[in-house]
Amino acid sequence: LNAIKSTIESVDFTAQSFSEHDIRCQLPALLVNPSVKVLHMPLNRLDHVSAKCIAMMLERNDVGVGPPVEELHLSHVHEKGDEPTCEGFIEIISALGNSTRVKKLVISDPNLNYSEVSSISSILFNIKSLSSLVLRDCGINHKGLSKISCAIASNESLESLDVSNN
């Protein structure tokens, strides 16, 4: 990422060939790349330091920290199945509440629990830049969808919501 002179608009770390170590080694280059607008992150391969770096980048990219990410794809919220939430999920979601650039958030995990859905809905009260939220195939139940609906009622920026196949 650092050595390439051309602009890179999309970075996808979801391929299984990227280890936790590989992703962590690429983060410094990502933080100084001014052209990345789309970022795909597998949360099950982020250590605590990497999650903190990404959270800081999202929270402070309006003041020049990190690339101007406009579209964030988060996958693998759980290591496997019903295991506990990956440690970076809550931190990254919380940072999005202060983001002024992220316009689209896509979360892919078939096992989101009510606590995780609550974290997502809580940022909808604050985030002013988000225009599209995709929570397709996340296993969100009626109670979780109600929580999202309440948060959306106070969000004036959201134009598109996809909660199909839940």
Side-chain angles (χ1 to χ4, degrees):
L1 287 175
N2 215 12
I4 299 173
K5 298 290 183 200
S6 64
T7 58
I8 298 173
E9 291 193 7
S10 181
V11 175
D12 188 345
F13 288 114
T14 58
Q16 290 298 321
S17 59
F18 285 108
S19 70
E20 183 178 287
H21 176 75
D22 295 334
I23 293 172
R24 189 174 188 181
C25 289
Q26 290 300 318
L27 283 179
L30 178 65
L31 287 170
V32 297
N33 190 311
S35 62
V36 176
K37 293 187 169 134
V38 180
L39 182 59
H40 296 260
M41 272 295 161
L43 294 175
N44 64 339
R45 282 182 267 135
L46 288 185
D47 60 18
H48 185 68
V49 172
S50 297
K52 276 196 164 307
C53 285
I54 292 167
M56 179 197 64
M57 176 188 75
L58 294 170
E59 191 171 44
R60 301 186 43 91
N61 66 9
D62 59 323
V63 293
V65 176
V69 174
E70 295 176 0
E71 187 174 317
L72 180 63
H73 296 250
L74 300 175
S75 62
H76 302 90
V77 175
H78 302 98
E79 292 286 339
K80 294 179 188 121
D82 290 331
E83 286 187 12
T85 310
C86 290
E87 59 186 80
F89 178 75
I90 302 299
E91 190 152 9
I92 291 170
I93 291 296
S94 297
L96 281 172
N98 298 317
S99 174
T100 59
R101 299 221 181 183
V102 176
K103 295 178 177 150
K104 182 174 184 177
L105 175 61
V106 178
I107 298 179
S108 306
D109 191 298
N111 300 302
L112 285 186
N113 63 41
Y114 186 72
S115 172
E116 294 153 356
V117 172
S118 294
S119 296
I120 295 164
S121 67
S122 69
I123 67 159
L124 294 174
F125 289 105
N126 299 324
I127 192 168
K128 305 294 183 224
S129 61
L130 194 67
S131 60
S132 178
L133 177 61
V134 178
L135 300 169
R136 187 181 318 123
D137 297 315
C138 288
I140 302 172
N141 62 22
H142 182 271
K143 187 177 172 185
L145 290 173
S146 294
K147 184 109 174 150
I148 296 281
S149 296
C150 289
I152 288 171
S154 67
N155 185 303
E156 297 177 5
S157 66
L158 198 65
E159 299 170 0
S160 171
L161 172 66
D162 182 352
V163 290
S164 59
N165 300 325
N166 277 293

